[in-house]
Amino acid sequence: METRELRYFVAVAEESHVGRAAERLGMAQPPLSRAIAQLERRLGGALFVRTPRGVTLTSAGETLLREGRAALAAVEAAERRTRRTVDAGGRAAVVLTAKAGASSELMVKLLDAYAAEPDAVAIDVVLSPPGHQALMLRDGRADVAILHRPFDDVSGFDVDTLTVEEQVLILPAGHPSSTRTSMTMAEATSIPDLPLPRWPNLDGSYPDGPGPELRDLTQVLQLVRLGRTAIVLPESARANLRDGLAVVPLADAPQVTTVIAWPPHSTSPGVAGLVRTASRL
């Protein structure tokens, strides 16, 4: 199976229409239809159910869409990482991505400890919006990522656990709820004058809701001080809080497990060294 065929198939699956997929791919519809039919013959089964309005995936098609996306992401990742190495003259920096404003103390300890290693390479830190770190690791924009379970999808990665901690609600000091000794997640998400913030989806859109649209934790903590929102964070966030903020433990929130993640097929000495350092912290 060629990557070209996979790209054709994924486009048709995502558009649910051969004509729209052909337009997206910049090609005529007949050769695209022939390519899909040839792929189905090779695999020995139908990938789509054809209807007058378009196409829908069969169970086999759903499997190929899931696996095909992963395969295309791996190819793209290989190309990006190889180009970085070529551009760097054979010794590319390791790209580490993390959520902007999260795990700051942990990141400082990790980077300082790794820099002291005799074979350390340069580390480029890329801070990105919540939810983007795993995607960057999959498509090759990053070599290593700091991820947080259960919020980030770590499937397909090798991981080492760094911390496990409870979650707390950060809200304005002086707010009536700030004196609570604990509350539930249901209570935290239903404070009338403190709607929780909305974070962007991978396509840049925001989910519906009353909370402010935000991209990083620096923004949200300022809005919390202004009394416009509250936010649920791992308990370690206490260490970086300034005046004007209060912390209330959440009795039933899931624990947050912070991990360092990397592609299982990685052969980068820099990635291996960084992971070894992280495991010793």
Side-chain angles (χ1 to χ4, degrees):
M1 190 181 302
E2 300 177 2
T3 55
R4 173 182 57 84
E5 294 174 305
L6 279 178
R7 288 192 175 93
Y8 288 176
F9 166 77
V10 170
V12 175
E14 290 179 345
E15 297 293 339
S16 298
H17 194 279
V18 178
R20 288 196 297 269
E23 183 177 351
R24 166 175 153 182
L25 293 166
M27 62 186 298
Q29 181 173 335
L32 177 58
S33 297
R34 288 195 296 270
I36 296 298
Q38 181 180 346
L39 181 59
E40 289 177 317
R41 286 194 299 271
R42 185 182 308 160
L43 293 174
L47 299 172
F48 295 103
V49 175
R50 278 78 171 173
T51 70
R53 294 188 175 184
V55 297
T56 58
L57 288 168
T58 63
S59 58
E62 291 173 352
T63 299
L64 184 59
L65 179 59
R66 182 174 61 252
E67 299 292 341
R69 280 171 169 164
L72 291 174
V75 171
E76 185 177 0
E79 180 181 355
R80 278 181 167 150
R81 292 188 177 110
T82 302
R83 287 184 182 278
R84 281 209 307 271
T85 302
V86 171
D87 293 343
R91 190 171 173 82
V94 171
V95 179
L96 169 65
T97 185
K99 188 188 303 181
S103 305
S104 301
E105 185 176 351
L106 177 64
M107 292 272 288
V108 170
K109 289 181 180 178
L110 172 59
L111 294 175
D112 285 350
Y114 178 68
E117 296 292 325
D119 57 349
V121 302
I123 303 294
D124 289 343
V125 178
V126 178
L127 302 179
S128 49
H132 287 237
Q133 294 73 39
L135 177 61
M136 293 178 65
L137 190 55
R138 293 185 204 283
D139 68 16
R141 285 177 289 168
D143 302 304
V144 190
I146 302 298
L147 304 179
H148 305 275
R149 294 189 301 207
F151 310 111
D152 294 315
D153 178 13
V154 301
S155 61
F157 299 137
D158 284 344
V159 300
D160 268 355
T161 296
L162 302 180
T163 64
V164 180
E165 53 188 317
E166 305 296 333
Q167 295 192 81
V168 297
L169 181 70
I170 312 296
L171 67 167
H175 188 276
S177 297
S178 65
T179 59
R180 298 275 300 270
T181 57
S182 71
M183 65 174 64
T184 65
M185 279 296 296
E187 290 172 324
T189 58
S190 59
I191 301 175
D193 57 338
L194 295 177
L196 298 187
R198 292 175 291 144
W199 302 100
N201 300 314
L202 292 179
D203 63 1
S205 65
Y206 284 85
D208 295 333
E213 298 180 354
L214 299 173
R215 297 189 64 85
D216 63 61
L217 290 177
T218 304
Q219 291 177 299
V220 73
L221 293 179
Q222 180 65 23
L223 287 177
V224 173
R225 290 191 190 92
L226 294 174
R228 302 300 177 89
T229 188
I231 187 172
V232 176
L233 291 176
E235 192 170 19
S236 59
R238 289 176 181 265
N240 299 316
L241 297 183
R242 301 175 183 174
D243 293 340
L245 299 174
V247 178
V248 176
L250 295 170
D252 59 349
Q255 289 184 319
V256 176
T257 300
T258 301
V259 303
I260 186 169
W262 67 97
H265 52 74
S266 174
T267 59
S268 165
V271 169
L274 187 63
V275 170
R276 283 196 303 271
T277 301
S279 68
R280 293 196 298 266
L281 287 180

